[in-house]
Amino acid sequence: MNRATVTIPEKLFFKIGEVCAITGIPAHVLRYWESEFPMLAPQKNRAGQRTYRKRDVEIVLRIKELLYEEQYTIAGAKKKLAGELRGASKLKVVTPEMSGPQLVVSTDQTPVYVEQVAALTDEQKRALRQLGEQLRELLALLDDDAMTGSSRRA
């Protein structure tokens, strides 16, 4: 099964059973892959259930593709996936010769058109980068609160 043929529903979180249904991977295999692939680390909710995000489901599909279709070993798939994820965080190179509106992907995987970026002043770009950093810090604080919040409220 190719990743392109799998439709992932637009949801924030998925339970392990939903991920099994989407990917065709049994729950025990998903739990094993979590121990082997550090980039696959779904959070757990207050009840201790795994909550996968869309990115986690995409990683599961890529691991499945590497292991089952491309016949990588677990060690080889781990190395290949780590390299792909490192490379995905870099901006794509766009040359002026490319015609039409060009789409690049920022470090947080947000699509941005080159024309939109080019129209911004350096000061605006700096302000947007700073805002992005602040939002990521806030998100990290909220995630930490969600993970430890139940113990503080008790």
Side-chain angles (χ1 to χ4, degrees):
M1 178 189 305
N2 192 337
R3 283 181 298 164
T5 62
V6 176
T7 304
I8 302 172
E10 288 299 322
K11 292 175 60 175
L12 289 177
F13 299 104
F14 300 88
K15 292 181 180 178
I16 194 166
E18 294 172 310
V19 177
C20 292
I22 292 167
T23 62
I25 301 294
H28 71 277
V29 174
L30 289 176
R31 289 190 296 270
Y32 173 70
W33 284 357
E34 288 172 28
S35 68
E36 291 294 323
F37 295 88
M39 61 286 294
L40 180 61
Q43 295 181 346
K44 292 188 179 180
N45 63 16
R46 290 185 182 145
Q49 296 175 325
R50 288 168 172 79
T51 54
Y52 292 80
R53 294 184 180 189
K54 186 174 183 178
R55 184 70 179 139
D56 294 320
V57 178
E58 291 168 348
I59 290 173
V60 168
L61 289 170
R62 182 61 179 141
I63 292 170
K64 178 182 178 182
E65 186 177 48
L66 289 170
L67 294 176
Y68 298 166
E69 293 176 21
E70 298 180 25
Q71 301 294 306
Y72 277 81
T73 62
I74 294 231
K78 189 184 313 184
K79 187 174 181 180
K80 172 99 169 145
L81 187 60
E84 289 176 357
L85 292 175
R86 266 195 311 275
S89 67
K90 298 176 183 169
L91 287 175
K92 294 181 181 176
V93 176
V94 179
T95 61
E97 303 85 54
M98 296 177 171
S99 61
Q102 296 296 320
L103 184 66
V104 294
V105 179
S106 65
T107 56
D108 64 350
Q109 301 301 307
T110 305
V112 178
Y113 286 96
V114 173
E115 289 79 9
Q116 292 171 323
V117 174
L120 298 175
T121 66
D122 287 342
E123 187 177 332
Q124 289 171 322
K125 291 176 186 177
R126 229 180 343 272
L128 284 173
R129 277 191 215 101
Q130 185 178 11
L131 178 61
E133 290 171 16
Q134 291 171 345
L135 288 172
R136 280 188 286 281
E137 290 171 9
L138 181 59
L139 184 59
L141 287 173
L142 290 172
D143 284 344
D144 289 345
D145 257 7
M147 296 300 286
T148 60
S150 60
S151 62
R152 279 193 277 198
R153 290 185 207 132

